Amino acid sequence: MLKTLRSRLLLSHLLIIVITVGVIGTALLVMLRARPVSAQEVIERLADALSEAEERFDLDSIAPTGPTRAQEIIYNRTAIRAFVRGLRIRYVLVRDGIVGYDSLRSFQPGAVVSLDSTPFEHRAVPGQETPANMANYRQGNFMNPDGTEWRFVATAPATTGWRLLTATPAPRLLSFEELLNYYADDLFIPLAQAAVIGLLFSVALSVLIARSVTRPLQAVAQKAVLVAQGKLDQPVAVEGPLEAQAVSIAFNQMIQEVAATQRAQREFLANVTHDLRTPLTSIQGFSQAIIDGVASNPKNAQRAAQIIYQESGRLNRMVEELLDLARIEAGRWNMTRHTVQLAEVLAAVGERLSPKAAEKGITLTVQTPILPVIAGDGDRLVQVFTNLTDNALKHTPQGGSVTLRATFDNGRGGKQGVIAQVIDTGIGIAPDHLPRLFDRFYQVDKSRKSGGREGVGLGLTIAKQIVEAHGGTIWVESEEGKGSVFTVWLPTPTPDMSTILRVRGAGNRG
């Protein structure tokens, strides 16, 4: 029963209600017990009980010597009824200060009791008339034989001289049992009735609340089944509480991401198939030409061997990119940390790619002032900036320029670091491609692929992973027809990290 969220919500609401009612009842008992019962309230209760009992006690029929045995039985039954109703009331018959009957049997018939009394003052209740017989009532105190003080209300003397008294102990701190008996009719029974009504109303309200909370979640669960079956065009309606809406929004975003990933994977497989087939076809064709003797001429044979070598290198780079991505996703990609001069990294990248830039008629410039060292893997950082610079050279036309520039950043996000930029005057990137440029499997449209390409388009994804592994960030700004700026921010070491790196460096030199 308690396996569903709806049943658990319903049960939790019920428990809260029951516990709340219990706490209120207990607190009420404690507060009532902490104060004595009002004297006027006691007198009023005694007067009500006396008015009710006066009809059963026929005082005019009682002999001057006292009630008969039959009459005492009637009086005892009246006392028992009062006790059953929770009224701690005592009935006493008195004539000229002599006791004729005591329901508590503290006074024996013939005992003398001193009654200190005054006229009864009835507290008027709006809308209710004061009983006529109460006008002659008396109220006061008397001492019990055991020394306790009792409050009483007495009738006017009958023709026989007998007075009927209803008495109760003087107000004091009552026990919990006495409180329950005393307030049962006037307080606790109405409170229990109100609690039952409130509980029923709360159950109905809890059912509605539980349904409103669980309905959006059930809708998400049903759509998840459809998504598992490959139906990715099943968004969930955003409704219900804010938390349920957040789940629905996240679910819809997940569907969009899964659909986009699947599309990217399909495009990736198609691209990989095409990219691998191209160098393999060249290698196979020129190898066959050598075997068949078509390239028997030394010049032709050298040209065929050169093409085979170039296409093999191209194929090797593709495979390396795929392997790097596989290692990153599998969590088996290792990176060593040591002190790195970013200026030296950029200078090395510029020197390595300067022949390619000269071949394409592009001006390649490296601008690196004196910079603080960073903690990282120099080989991986060379891989990052080689990829960014190589891409810039590919998409910059003849006569353009590519610049590698680095500056010190004093306080990006509260941290010091170094900013390195690769700036080109190439064809630029369309705005709709910029947000997903670093996503795995994502490739820009054909306009960025003119003039041939190498690799399978994973270079930027891998570069982003390497930069983030160094605690840095990478982003791009671009405008079509004017060029692009790829920016890498890398943090400088903290004092503790600098000490560790110096120690490691000393150990390596030894």
Side-chain angles (χ1 to χ4, degrees):
M1 174 183 177
L2 298 180
K3 292 184 178 180
T4 63
L5 178 60
R6 181 178 298 180
S7 61
R8 293 185 180 185
L9 284 173
L10 182 59
L11 180 61
S12 63
H13 290 162
L14 293 179
L15 286 176
I16 291 173
I17 294 168
V18 172
I19 292 172
T20 302
V21 172
V23 170
I24 292 174
T26 303
L28 184 59
L29 277 174
V30 171
M31 288 187 292
L32 289 175
R33 190 175 183 274
R35 67 175 182 87
V37 181
S38 167
Q40 183 60 35
E41 186 177 352
V42 171
I43 294 299
E44 292 290 340
R45 284 179 175 267
L46 290 175
D48 291 338
L50 181 61
S51 178
E52 182 179 343
E54 194 175 3
E55 299 176 0
R56 297 187 179 91
F57 286 64
D58 187 2
L59 301 181
D60 292 331
S61 64
I62 301 175
T65 56
T68 63
R69 181 60 181 166
Q71 289 175 325
E72 287 187 0
I73 292 174
I74 295 174
Y75 304 159
N76 288 336
R77 288 176 180 174
T78 303
I80 291 173
R81 287 195 195 97
F83 177 78
V84 170
R85 290 169 54 195
L87 301 176
R88 194 163 181 258
I89 291 177
R90 171 184 184 181
Y91 296 96
V92 183
L93 283 173
V94 178
R95 181 172 179 269
D96 298 330
I98 305 299
V99 176
Y101 166 79
D102 181 6
S103 62
L104 195 61
R105 302 189 187 281
S106 293
F107 289 109
Q108 296 300 319
V112 178
V113 61
S114 175
L115 301 178
D116 182 14
S117 66
T118 59
F120 170 68
E121 296 179 1
H122 179 66
R123 182 173 54 190
V125 178
Q128 295 184 8
E129 294 184 1
T130 302
N133 58 338
M134 288 189 182
N136 298 320
Y137 284 177
R138 304 282 295 181
Q139 69 182 49
N141 304 328
F142 67 81
M143 298 300 296
N144 205 48
D146 60 4
T148 58
E149 182 180 5
W150 286 66
R151 294 279 176 87
F152 73 88
V153 175
T155 63
T159 55
T160 57
W162 289 105
R163 289 175 177 268
L164 175 62
L165 282 67
T166 53
T168 192
R172 58 184 175 81
L173 293 179
L174 303 180
S175 66
F176 286 112
E177 182 179 359
E178 290 173 331
L179 280 173
L180 290 174
N181 291 332
Y182 193 82
Y183 289 106
D185 292 335
D186 295 337
L187 184 61
F188 293 116
I189 291 179
L191 180 63
Q193 293 172 343
V196 171
I197 295 174
L199 186 63
L200 294 176
F201 178 77
S202 299
V203 167
L205 187 61
S206 299
V207 170
L208 295 177
I209 294 175
R211 184 179 299 173
S212 67
V213 171
T214 58
R215 186 175 63 251
L217 298 180
Q218 289 174 340
V220 172
Q222 293 171 357
K223 297 295 184 180
V225 173
L226 296 177
V227 171
Q229 297 172 356
K231 301 177 181 178
L232 299 178
D233 56 344
Q234 301 291 330
V236 179
V238 179
E239 58 182 2
L242 292 178
E243 293 78 2
Q245 292 182 19
V247 172
S248 300
I249 293 173
F251 182 82
N252 291 337
Q253 291 176 345
M254 181 195 70
I255 293 177
Q256 294 174 2
E257 290 296 327
V258 170
T261 300
Q262 288 189 353
R263 287 195 300 270
Q265 286 179 339
R266 287 192 295 267
E267 295 174 0
F268 169 72
L269 290 175
N271 292 333
V272 167
T273 302
H274 175 270
D275 291 337
L276 292 179
R277 184 184 294 137
T278 300
L280 287 174
T281 300
S282 299
I283 292 172
Q284 186 178 17
F286 283 96
S287 298
Q288 188 67 42
I290 294 175
I291 294 173
D292 294 341
V294 176
S296 58
N297 185 306
K299 183 177 179 181
N300 291 337
Q302 184 178 5
R303 179 173 176 274
Q306 181 68 26
I307 292 175
I308 291 173
Y309 176 78
Q310 291 175 348
E311 294 300 319
S312 299
R314 179 180 175 187
L315 186 62
N316 181 67
R317 285 189 292 274
M318 295 179 188
V319 173
E320 283 297 326
E321 284 187 350
L322 292 172
L323 289 176
D324 281 343
L325 182 62
R327 293 189 191 101
I328 291 172
E329 292 184 337
R332 293 186 288 105
W333 183 73
N334 296 322
M335 184 186 72
T336 59
R337 279 186 182 272
H338 50 82
T339 56
V340 176
Q341 291 283 353
L342 192 58
E344 295 179 0
V345 170
L346 297 181
V349 171
E351 184 178 357
R352 180 181 300 179
L353 294 177
S354 57
K356 184 174 182 178
E359 183 182 346
K360 291 193 64 178
I362 299 172
T363 303
L364 178 59
T365 307
V366 180
Q367 300 174 357
T368 54
I370 298 176
L371 297 171
V373 298
I374 61 173
D377 189 323
D379 293 336
R380 293 296 183 181
L381 292 176
V382 168
Q383 181 180 353
V384 170
F385 291 106
T386 298
N387 179 276
L388 296 178
T389 307
D390 190 49
N391 282 341
L393 292 174
K394 288 178 186 177
H395 302 109
T396 300
Q398 184 178 5
S401 65
V402 174
T403 303
L404 277 68
R405 184 173 65 189
T407 58
F408 176 66
D409 180 49
N410 187 13
R412 178 180 176 83
K415 296 181 180 179
Q416 292 183 342
V418 176
I419 289 180
Q421 294 178 312
V422 179
I423 307 169
D424 67 63
T425 58
I427 60 177
I429 305 170
D432 55 330
H433 293 297
L434 292 177
R436 301 197 61 192
L437 194 62
F438 296 97
D439 291 353
R440 55 175 55 88
F441 307 130
Y442 185 78
Q443 295 196 10
V444 184
D445 59 11
K446 300 295 183 181
S447 65
R448 289 277 295 178
K449 301 176 185 176
S450 59
R453 65 175 186 175
E454 298 180 3
V456 289
L458 295 175
L460 292 179
T461 301
I462 296 172
K464 181 174 183 290
Q465 297 284 349
I466 294 174
V467 171
E468 290 180 349
H470 283 77
T473 55
I474 182 172
W475 66 93
V476 60
E477 299 169 300
S478 183
E479 185 176 350
E480 285 188 287
K482 293 187 177 181
S484 305
V485 179
F486 284 82
T487 304
V488 175
W489 179 86
L490 296 169
T492 55
T494 61
D496 293 341
M497 178 60 71
S498 300
T499 302
I500 294 173
L501 293 173
R502 285 197 298 270
V503 171
R504 287 181 178 175
N508 292 335
R509 289 192 298 271

